[in-house]
Amino acid sequence: MYIITEFLLVTLKVLWAFVLAGFKWFVRPKEKSVAGQVCVITGAGSGLGRLFAKEFARRRAVLVLWDINKQSNEETAEMVRQIQREMTSAVQKDGCALGTQELPALEPQVYTYVCDVGKRESVYSTAEKVQREVGHIDLLINNAGVVSGHHLLECPDELIERTMMVNCHAHFWTTKAFLPKMLEMNHGHIVTVASSLGLFSTAGVEDYCASKFGAIGFHESLSHELKAAEKDGIKMTLVCPFLVDTGMFQGCRIRKEITPFLPPLKPEYCVRQAVRAILTDQPMICTPRLMYMVSFMKTILPFDAVVCMYRFIGADKCMYPFLAHRKQVTNNNQDKTGMQMGAP
C-alpha cells in the first residue's frame, strides 16, 4: 500500500515538473545577479570563452580567465577591462546627471592564468593559485575544447588522447579543484560547454564525439550526486549548441536545401542564450531548440531510421569537407600541433 501511495506521489511530481517546464517556455524567469561573484572560464582566449568573459563582465562578475595561449588570454582580459571601464564611466555620468556625488572609479576585476587544462597537474596548481590570490569561486565554466580533424584510422594516438584530455578529463580536474569549497558553502554554479555532438554523433569525428559524450555523462552524473547530497545551492547547466560559426569546424556542411533551416550559429547568439540559461539556473540549453527534438527522436527511432534521416539532411558525411580541409592544412604545414582550438 505504501509503495502505491509513493508511486502516485511521484507521478504527481513528474506531472508538475512538466507543468513548470512548460511555464518557463512562455514566462522568462528572473535572472540572478552575479555582480562581485568570481567566475572561472577555461579556454577564455578565443571563441565562445572570450564571449562568455565579455558577457559576464557586463554583469560585473570578477573574471578569472584560463587559457593555454597567454597572448590571446591577455587580449580577452583587455577587452574585459575596457567593458568594465565603460560601465564605470556610464554609472558616474548618470550619477552626475542626477546631481549625486561622483562615484569612485572601480578597478577592473580580471585575472589571467596560463593553464593547460589537459594536464591535471597544471589544473590543480593553477586552481590552488586562484584560490590563494582571488578567493573561492562561484561559477566554473568548463569551456575549453579541441578537435583533431582526422579520420579515426589516420589520427595519431596522441591527438586522440589530447582530445579526450581537454574535452572530457579536464572537467574532472577543474571540478575536483573547486567543488569542495562549493560543497562547504552549498553555493556555486558549474557549467559544462559540450556540443550537440555529445547528444548525437556523426561520421569522421569519433574522438570529438566520444569526448563530448563523456563530458555530458560526467555532468549528468555529478548533477545526480549533488541532488543525492541535497546540495541544492549548487547549480548545474549543460550547454549543447549546434555548429557554431567560430571556424573550428570550417568546411562542415549539411545538404544545401536544409542549410537555411539549420544554419551555423552566430557565436554571440549562442553565448547570450547560454548566459541566460545560466542566470536562470536552467539545467540544460540546446541551441537551436530543434536540437531537443533531434535528440529525442534519436532515442526512440530504430538505428536504421536514424541513418535514413541523416542521409536525407546530409548529416551522415557533413564533416568530410572539414576533414579534407584539415588534411590540406596539415600537409601544407600550416598546423604545427594538429589540433584546432575553439568552440564546439
Side-chain angles (χ1 to χ4, degrees), residues 104-153:
L106 297 175
E107 286 296 320
Q109 299 186 75
V110 56
Y111 304 83
T112 59
Y113 296 87
V114 176
C115 179
D116 182 353
V117 296
K119 297 179 179 178
R120 65 177 181 271
E121 297 84 0
S122 179
V123 171
Y124 290 150
S125 62
T126 306
E128 183 180 352
K129 192 180 300 184
V130 168
Q131 291 168 326
R132 185 172 63 250
E133 298 175 355
V134 185
H136 72 271
I137 72 160
D138 302 283
L139 289 94
L140 170 61
I141 301 180
N142 284 311
N143 165 78
V146 297
V147 61
S148 63
H150 297 278
H151 288 280
L152 176 62
L153 298 183

Side-chain angles (χ1 to χ4, degrees), residues 118 156-166 169 207 339:
D157 294 346
E158 294 78 12
L159 295 189
I160 295 175
E161 291 176 341
R162 179 68 178 166
T163 300
M164 296 301 298
M165 288 291 183
V166 174
H169 295 178
D207 56 339
M339 305 296 288

Side-chain angles (χ1 to χ4, degrees), residues 185-259:
M185 302 181 68
N186 192 23
H187 170 77
H189 201 134
I190 299 174
V191 179
T192 299
V193 181
S195 169
S196 59
L197 289 179
L199 299 172
F200 48 86
S201 57
T202 188
V205 283
E206 290 85 355
D207 56 339
Y208 184 82
C209 290
S211 68
K212 292 299 182 179
F213 267 82
I216 291 176
F218 167 75
H219 179 98
E220 291 182 353
S221 180
L222 180 60
S223 298
H224 286 299
E225 183 169 346
L226 293 174
K227 290 293 184 183
E230 297 184 352
K231 294 295 182 179
D232 293 330
I234 304 175
K235 308 301 181 182
M236 301 278 293
T237 298
L238 175 63
V239 180
C240 292
F242 180 59
L243 180 66
V244 184
D245 189 14
T246 60
M248 188 176 185
F249 286 108
Q250 185 177 351
C252 172
R253 59 176 179 266
I254 58 177
R255 186 170 178 172
K256 62 181 181 180
E257 293 87 354
I258 305 295
T259 301

Side-chain angles (χ1 to χ4, degrees), residues 167-339:
N167 295 357
C168 181
H169 295 178
H171 296 235
F172 288 79
W173 317 143
T174 57
T175 301
K176 288 187 70 177
F178 294 118
L179 183 59
K181 192 64 177 181
M182 290 184 180
L183 289 172
E184 180 183 330
M185 302 181 68
N186 192 23
H187 170 77
H189 201 134
I190 299 174
V191 179
T192 299
V193 181
S195 169
S196 59
L197 289 179
L199 299 172
F200 48 86
S201 57
T202 188
V205 283
E206 290 85 355
D207 56 339
Y208 184 82
C209 290
S211 68
K212 292 299 182 179
F213 267 82
I216 291 176
F218 167 75
H219 179 98
E220 291 182 353
S221 180
L222 180 60
S223 298
H224 286 299
E225 183 169 346
L226 293 174
K227 290 293 184 183
E230 297 184 352
K231 294 295 182 179
D232 293 330
I234 304 175
K235 308 301 181 182
M236 301 278 293
T237 298
L238 175 63
V239 180
C240 292
F242 180 59
L243 180 66
V244 184
D245 189 14
T246 60
M248 188 176 185
F249 286 108
Q250 185 177 351
C252 172
R253 59 176 179 266
I254 58 177
R255 186 170 178 172
K256 62 181 181 180
E257 293 87 354
I258 305 295
T259 301
F261 302 98
L262 273 177
L265 297 174
K266 294 296 182 183
E268 295 80 7
Y269 168 78
C270 179
V271 169
R272 282 196 304 269
Q273 294 293 104
V275 170
R276 180 187 298 176
I278 294 166
L279 297 181
T280 56
D281 295 332
Q282 187 173 328
M284 179 180 180
I285 173 72
C286 290
T287 47
R289 286 184 170 180
L290 180 61
M291 293 300 103
Y292 292 109
M293 181 61 67
V294 175
S295 179
F296 174 71
M297 291 177 68
K298 178 210 166 187
T299 62
I300 63 173
L301 292 177
F303 180 72
D304 287 344
V306 173
V307 172
C308 289
M309 292 180 59
Y310 269 43
R311 288 176 177 172
F312 173 73
I313 65 176
D316 57 331
K317 298 180 180 179
C318 63
M319 287 293 174
Y320 282 20
F322 156 71
L323 295 172
H325 171 74
R326 293 289 298 153
K327 187 173 184 178
Q328 182 180 1
V329 170
T330 303
N331 290 341
N332 291 339
N333 295 320
Q334 296 175 8
D335 186 354
K336 301 296 184 182
T337 65
M339 305 296 288

